[in-house]
Amino acid sequence: KQWYQRRVRGFLFYLFFAMSYNYSNYNQFGIKNEYERYAFAAWLSFVVICSLLGDTTILVASIKYKAFNLHKIVVAIIQHIAVCDLLNAVANTAPGIVSLINNTGGSSKILNYVRFFISYYVNTVAPSLLAALTLGKLLTLKYPLRTGSWSIRQAHKVCVGIWIASPYHPALYLLVDKDDVTFDYRVYYYTYQYSSSLWKILLPIKALLVILAPNIIIIVSSVLVIKEARRVVRGTQQSLRWQGIMTVVLTATVYTLSYLPITVYLIAESFVEKDPSVPGPFFVEFYRVAISFLGFNTLANFFVYSLNVTSFRSFLKTKFRQTASFLSDKVFCRGRTTREATEGRRTNKHPRQVRETPV
């Protein structure tokens, strides 16, 4: 057991402390081609727009119109996930778009630290909320009588606890060595260099709490949710509302698939040979594509809910019809007003030719 623990610590240390490139070097890692840089910015802009429209719709539909006919625990966590995606889009992805357009990381150190803090903060909150979603759905299936008494306020308290506890992750980086925060020209985001020897002790703890634990909970809970649902159907011989189950499972699946490329990169990074003078495509292009895949997790939830939640889909159809009717009425009224005004001008075109009738 001690040998295994030493091997794991040695692998994690080598993963982060082995010879690494200076990713803040624009000449080696910056995007020289303007079309490629603008294409990357366009993709991130699409992610931001989809998040702003989709996540705002999710919040309004679930809070004001009660359009999610799902378990109240699931609805509460969905709302917090939408807020997390909005924060990621506005405070993390949008500044990255500005950096891509300006081709620089910015000169304000305070704003740079804020960008770094929010980026790592969101990346800590998101998997924790999704782990709470999958685990909560599993408990509602396995213990329906006990979870039936749970209130939506209790679910919000759990989510607020996740928000309050998560700042320890980015704060830890700044407390150990704030000068290790550097601008990564591969993706135009701020990352960390792990140059302090303290990370030899802290890194395994951080990897367990931030990376391994929530992702293991997400994967295991999703599998058990499907297994438990099938057991309930076979045992009771009754129909089961699958829309809530499929919503949770598909949300977890999209998250897992979007993080799969960056997971492959982090695992394989220590095994790929590094040339100090010429970085290979694995460390530049593949990493850039892997980070781009994370955008799918930010924009996909709206489409997942639209496909699986019948009440939410009906809400969208109703609002779409109302909006279309309103716009058509506006266009029709404007067209009619314009036509009447034109006819009036034609009638009064030659007022002097109109003879007055004597009284």
Side-chain angles (χ1 to χ4, degrees), residues 81-138:
I81 292 176
V83 173
C84 184
D85 288 340
L86 279 174
L87 179 62
N88 182 37
V90 173
N92 185 29
T93 307
I97 298 172
V98 177
S99 295
L100 280 165
I101 295 174
N102 296 328
N103 203 19
T104 182
S107 57
S108 175
K109 285 189 176 181
I110 296 178
L111 291 178
N112 296 341
Y113 284 132
V114 170
R115 284 183 59 181
F116 170 82
F117 188 93
I118 293 178
S119 174
Y120 279 69
Y121 178 52
V122 169
N123 289 330
T124 307
V125 174
S128 301
L129 288 175
L130 191 54
L133 178 66
T134 55
L135 187 59
K137 188 60 182 178
L138 176 62

Side-chain angles (χ1 to χ4, degrees), residues 139-212:
L139 294 176
T140 58
L141 285 174
K142 197 170 184 63
Y143 307 105
L145 297 179
R146 295 182 183 178
T147 56
S149 61
W150 290 359
S151 65
I152 192 170
R153 189 169 183 174
Q154 291 175 318
H156 281 300
K157 286 182 178 180
V158 172
C159 294
V160 170
I162 293 174
W163 285 98
I164 294 175
S166 296
Y168 81 91
H169 181 210
L172 183 63
Y173 289 102
L174 299 179
L175 289 174
V176 172
D177 191 353
K178 62 182 179 61
D179 294 330
D180 267 358
V181 177
T182 182
F183 187 73
D184 191 341
Y185 269 105
R186 295 176 299 174
V187 290
Y188 287 74
Y189 284 91
Y190 280 90
T191 55
Y192 202 75
Q193 290 182 328
Y194 299 96
S195 61
S196 175
S197 59
L198 288 175
W199 287 109
K200 189 172 184 180
I201 301 173
L202 297 175
L203 197 59
I205 302 174
K206 174 253 183 185
L208 177 63
L209 294 178
V210 179
I211 301 176
L212 295 178

